[in-house]
């Protein structure tokens, strides 16, 4: 009954969801491309298919090393990568080119899911983190398609939310074949909301197995050469409400280090123009990467291109990870940490609770409360290269110490194929 009501509500909302998609497509035309995928109308795929679903950019990047390992195993299966966002698919295409197949994930109506499964006939569904869609999972169960939650995390707040709708959640959770949880608290919460205890395993976070391809390293070195010896800090994956604080912090940094450069990487493309105008109105000299403008002589460099954040982290001396000065929950701090540079975040990091606990325990990250606090920390490290290097080495050491989850996950997936 609960799932029937859920499906009915999704069907009733679908016209409005499609109208919203069309409206958002005015500024992001890629959203309107292949929109029929979202209703389950995708090209048929011959032969066995491994379906990997990652909701957006962050999850797609996290899935990257696993997909590379699966491709290297020559399993004789097509890997289909899906995402809910255009930026997620753009990131996947940038990472894998024509080595995998791509589609938008279908909306979670029974008909859309049935059509999608009928066209691709997957052998397994691998969902990154905790993208739980009731019809997607239940329809896979009916077609005997195993469903894996990989790199799974579940906050206490989310667990309580699932408990409030236990009538809908419990049957879905029981349909999940394997949960590869990031940490024991995550595993305990999954068991609590209905996943069979025997189907839950703590594998660790695959994000510690961060992979920096050689071409990304070379591109980073080339870009850094164009910046010269000036001090460079980057604010990655920023959100509305943060950019003002980051620009204020940069003004304080410039007061001590007049040649410093801030690279700003907004999380969402529709905010590129807004951030550019904001920085200009605040009196900063701004260059935009999408327009081929160099960073020489400017104070703020707007990285308004897609799929280059990892490369840009490598070209920076310090990194601030966005989504954390507001209650968004933060983004992945391991990407800059893997480059061996100091990492800063705001106080709101509940999306990466376990990762931040490990970084904080070994002094591999510093949490700041706002613009003044961030500027003070940056100025101290810019003035002290020895401490800056030590800070970055501590961050990298945490990454290296916690590697290994990827091997466990890949072996687990292959065993259950």
């Amino acid at each position: 009954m609960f799932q029937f009501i859920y499906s009915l509500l999704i069907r009733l909302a679908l016209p409005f969801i499609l109208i919203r998609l069309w409206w958002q497509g005015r500024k992001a035309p890629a959203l309107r491309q292949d929109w029929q995928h979202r209703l389950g109308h995708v090209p048929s795929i011959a032969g066995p298919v491994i379906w990997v679903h990652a909701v957006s950019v962050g999850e797609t990047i996290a899935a990257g090393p696993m997909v590379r390992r699966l491709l290297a195993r020559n399993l004789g299966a097509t890997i289909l990568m899906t995402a809910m966002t255009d930026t997620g698919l753009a990131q996947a295409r940038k990472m894998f080119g024509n080595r995998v197949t791509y589609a938008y994930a279908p909306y979670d109506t029974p008909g859309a899911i049935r059509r999608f499964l009928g066209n691709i006939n997957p052998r397994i569904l691998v969902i990154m983190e905790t993208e739980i869609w009731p019809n997607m999972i239940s329809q896979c169960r009916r077609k005997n398609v195993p469903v894996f939650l990989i790199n799974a995390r579940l906050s206490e707040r989310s667990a309580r939310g699932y408990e409030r709708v236990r009538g809908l959640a419990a049957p879905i959770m029981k349909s999940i074949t394997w949960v590869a949880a990031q940490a024991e608290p995550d595993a305990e919460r999954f068991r609590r909301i209905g996943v069979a205890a025997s189907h839950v395993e703590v594998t660790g976070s695959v994000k510690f197995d961060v992979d920096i391809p050689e071409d990304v390293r070379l591109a980073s070195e080339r870009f850094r050469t164009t910046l010269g010896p000036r001090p460079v800090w980057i604010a990655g994956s920023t959100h509305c409400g943060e950019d003002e604080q980051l620009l204020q912090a940069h003004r304080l940094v410039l007061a001590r280090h007049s040649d410093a450069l801030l690279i700003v990487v907004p999380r969402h493309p529709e905010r590129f123009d807004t951030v550019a105008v904001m920085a200009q109105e605040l009196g900063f000299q701004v260059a935009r990467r999408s327009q081929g403008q160099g960073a020489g002589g400017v104070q703020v460099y707007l990285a308004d291109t897609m799929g280059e954040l990892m490369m840009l982290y490598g070209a920076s001396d310090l990194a601030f990870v966005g989504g954390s000065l507001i209650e968004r929950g933060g983004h992945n701090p391991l990407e800059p940490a893997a480059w061996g540079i100091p990492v800063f975040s705001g106080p709101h990091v509940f999306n990466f609770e376990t990762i931040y606990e490990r970084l904080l325990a070994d002094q591999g990250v510093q949490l700041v409360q706002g613009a003044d606090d961030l500027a003070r920390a940056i100025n101290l490290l810019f003035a002290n290269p020895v401490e800056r290097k030590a800070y970055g080495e501590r961050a990298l050491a945490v990454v290296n110490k916690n590697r290994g989850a990827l091997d466990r996950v890949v072996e687990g997936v292959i065993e259950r194929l």
Side-chain angles (χ1 to χ4, degrees), residues 320 324-326 345-350 367-370:
F320 173 84
S324 57
L325 286 174
I326 57 171
S345 292
H348 305 290
V349 294
F350 52 82
L367 303 186
V368 296
Q369 300 301 315

Side-chain angles (χ1 to χ4, degrees), residues 113-154:
I113 299 294
R114 273 197 304 270
R115 285 188 291 271
F116 194 90
L117 291 174
N119 285 325
I120 68 167
N121 192 27
R123 181 178 291 181
I124 60 170
L125 166 57
V126 178
I127 300 175
M128 294 304 299
E129 301 195 0
T130 317
E131 187 76 359
I132 297 172
W133 292 101
N135 283 314
M136 180 184 288
I137 293 173
S138 62
Q139 294 280 351
C140 282
R141 179 193 63 207
R142 291 192 182 108
K143 290 182 70 69
N144 295 316
V145 177
V147 177
F148 307 154
L149 291 188
I150 300 301
N151 210 46
R153 58 183 171 85
L154 190 66

